[in-house]
Amino acid sequence: MKATSIANHEKTFFETGRDSDGKEFILTEMSVPIKGANHAMPYIQCRPKNGDASFYNQEINSKTQIVLHYTAGYLKGDVAALSKPNNRVSTPFIIARNGSILNLWSSAYWSYHLGSGAIGGNTRGSKQTIGIELSNIGFLKRIDNKLVTVYSNTDVYCDLNDKQLYTKLDAPYRGELYYATFTKKQYDSVLLLLRYLTAAYNIPRAFFPENKRYDIGTEHELVNFKGIVSHVNYRSSGKWDIGPAFDWEKIIRGLIA
């Protein structure tokens, strides 16, 4: 899908409440106060119309970390993938490119989101963490003057001239040089959601130091760390979310301020 088509793709989801698998959702605009602040967080409650709750576990666990991901897809497919009946691979939050915060289920519950082979164990890690997915296609491949998605060499995302739509790193990260950019509205919403979650669950507004930010942590580091990490800290390969193409400094400065 071309980057210029994503806005309309998202618009049709919010108009119809239907994901790419044809599942229907009830979308309800809501807001929640941010503990210790004088403002609230707006979000959209996104619940399957048929009442299905089989894609997460309604079991409350204490939370010590927030894990940032990107979806490697587009919103309708993101919602579909994270709400597959009986799959239990999901996150409570998806942030659309238009900045909307979708809430699929209570963040007090849990679902598998770290994956098989996660440092410290998928079950233990998923129970004690809150996953946030940013809707983003992820890394891009260069073919001539085009950047295409991982799904097909003919799936053109943008041209090399569209520099606002992608980030080119100084050196490849996990073998990839080009990454789709995140939107300003997504950064704003990530900050707002992190402020809410850290306050609600008493999670420190702490980050891995920069020299470890894009690497896997040791089991001791990850199990004992309290704060904000990303998926790549748990997985040594097969994952790129969220690496150095993300503006971590913007989030760190904004959250601490």
Side-chain angles (χ1 to χ4, degrees):
M1 183 188 298
K2 287 191 174 182
T4 51
S5 300
I6 297 175
N8 188 61
H9 169 92
E10 291 193 343
K11 180 173 180 285
T12 59
F13 173 75
F14 289 112
E15 288 174 345
T16 66
R18 192 183 295 270
D19 70 15
S20 62
D21 287 346
K23 300 193 302 294
E24 292 185 71
F25 292 80
I26 298 171
L27 305 178
T28 309
E29 293 186 5
M30 305 186 76
S31 68
V32 61
I34 297 176
K35 184 179 175 182
N38 59 1
H39 58 282
M41 181 187 77
Y43 69 97
I44 297 175
Q45 187 184 74
C46 179
R47 298 291 188 268
K49 193 172 182 179
N50 65 3
D52 180 42
S54 66
F55 51 95
Y56 60 94
N57 299 291
Q58 296 185 54
E59 174 187 296
I60 295 176
N61 292 273
S62 60
K63 307 296 183 181
T64 60
Q65 286 179 16
I66 300 165
V67 182
L68 297 183
H69 302 255
Y70 66 63
T71 61
Y74 309 105
L75 190 62
K76 292 181 188 177
D78 302 338
V79 174
L82 294 168
S83 61
K84 288 189 179 297
N86 301 305
N87 196 36
R88 289 185 171 84
V89 176
S90 185
T91 60
F93 299 102
I94 306 171
I95 301 180
R97 288 181 65 83
N98 72 1
S100 296
I101 299 171
L102 289 175
N103 174 237
L104 297 178
W105 40 274
S106 170
S107 52
Y109 299 146
W110 71 280
S111 188
Y112 294 102
H113 66 101
L114 298 177
S116 176
I119 301 297
N122 189 18
T123 299
R124 178 170 63 178
S126 293
K127 284 183 174 182
Q128 70 181 17
T129 61
I130 301 169
I132 298 172
E133 289 274 10
L134 281 83
S135 186
N136 181 286
I137 197 63
F139 68 80
L140 303 163
K141 301 283 190 180
R142 179 176 177 177
I143 298 181
D144 298 325
N145 68 335
K146 307 285 187 185
L147 292 175
V148 303
T149 75
V150 68
Y151 296 107
S152 169
N153 286 348
T154 61
D155 184 22
V156 176
Y157 187 78
C158 66
D159 294 338
L160 281 178
N161 291 332
D162 300 320
K163 296 185 183 297
Q164 76 280 9
L165 299 177
Y166 69 90
T167 297
K168 181 183 179 182
L169 301 178
D170 293 332
Y173 175 68
R174 295 192 173 182
E176 303 300 337
L177 191 61
Y178 298 92
Y179 290 81
T181 55
F182 299 88
T183 68
K184 180 184 183 301
K185 289 182 178 180
Q186 283 183 306
Y187 281 115
D188 291 343
S189 292
V190 170
L191 273 171
L192 196 58
L193 182 53
L194 288 176
R195 289 179 187 132
Y196 166 71
L197 292 173
T198 52
Y201 292 96
N202 294 314
I203 296 173
R205 293 176 176 177
F207 298 80
F208 267 9
E210 189 171 5
N211 65 335
K212 295 182 179 180
R213 194 170 298 155
Y214 315 121
D215 252 328
I216 57 168
T218 66
E219 182 169 347
H220 180 267
E221 283 176 322
L222 284 172
V223 169
N224 291 288
F225 181 75
K226 293 179 173 59
I228 299 156
V229 299
S230 70
H231 202 185
V232 295
N233 299 133
Y234 277 93
R235 299 281 296 277
S236 61
S237 63
K239 295 295 176 184
W240 291 261
D241 55 325
I242 294 178
F246 185 71
D247 192 345
W248 283 96
E249 292 307 316
K250 180 192 290 286
I251 296 301
I252 292 169
R253 288 194 306 268
L255 191 61
I256 292 174

